[in-house]
Amino acid sequence: MNGSNGALLSLLATDERVVAFFAGVADLDATNPTGHELEDGVRLASGARLEQFARAGSGDAFCFVGEGGEERPVVYVSLDGEAGPLALGLPELVRLCLVAPWWRDAPGRTVEELQAVADGYREDVPDLDRRRDLAARALGLDPAGLPSEAAALARLVDLSRGPVAAACLVVGDEGDPLDPLFGAASDRA
């Protein structure tokens, strides 16, 4: 998977197999980059750049942190006042979305509850595996080499607790930190 010089982001916005999975299944729409604007006052506590590159259907934002290319950390900023790191770079975010497109429903759930969420997603999208595999191959990934759902979700929790979370702290217009995506409630998972 080529993640340099905007190549991966370009595929997320233009390749029909990739768009069909990411916008249609994983709720990550990168097809209209000029239509992506964060709410006024939402920024990183560190003062580093926060650049929205995609959105969810709800209007939530996927953002790069700092300067650089697709290797930058990615944070999710919800309109419900939550934010947190999702990945260290766009390639890691892509893998997360491919294996657990329902990741937003993961915080605070037990393994059994997560399995029920995944099963429900598969009922709603019966051709999920086929669509995932088509998107993965279009991105140059071997579907068999993707991480497990459990590994991808464990990575989310790890990122939410360490130095990456501190570097990616998002604050609102009053300067107060937004609630973490994966906070103390995820300790049960």
Side-chain angles (χ1 to χ4, degrees), residues 53-176:
F53 65 88
R55 65 177 173 77
S58 63
D60 295 352
F62 292 87
C63 304
F64 286 124
V65 172
E67 300 295 329
E70 295 177 349
E71 77 288 349
R72 293 179 282 171
V74 175
V75 297
Y76 187 80
V77 181
S78 89
L79 295 176
D80 295 330
E82 298 176 329
L86 295 181
L88 292 180
L90 192 55
E92 186 176 7
L93 176 65
V94 161
R95 286 177 176 88
L96 166 67
C97 290
L98 285 168
V99 299
W102 43 265
W103 63 264
R104 283 173 206 77
D105 295 327
R109 296 187 188 269
T110 65
V111 172
E112 294 80 17
E113 291 168 335
L114 285 173
Q115 188 59 56
V117 169
D119 292 347
Y121 220 86
R122 288 183 184 287
E123 285 176 22
D124 291 343
V125 186
D127 62 343
L128 177 69
D129 292 339
R130 183 187 65 77
R131 291 172 73 175
R132 178 203 58 223
D133 292 354
L134 283 171
R137 287 187 185 100
L139 293 167
L141 293 169
D142 176 359
L146 293 171
S148 68
E149 290 175 359
L153 294 172
R155 176 73 169 151
L156 280 178
V157 173
D158 289 345
L159 288 173
S160 72
R161 295 186 176 148
V164 172
C168 295
L169 182 65
V170 178
V171 298
D173 60 352
E174 302 281 322
D176 295 324

Side-chain angles (χ1 to χ4, degrees), residues 37-48:
E37 286 189 34
L38 289 169
E39 288 185 26
D40 286 340
V42 173
R43 64 193 187 287
L44 288 168
S46 68

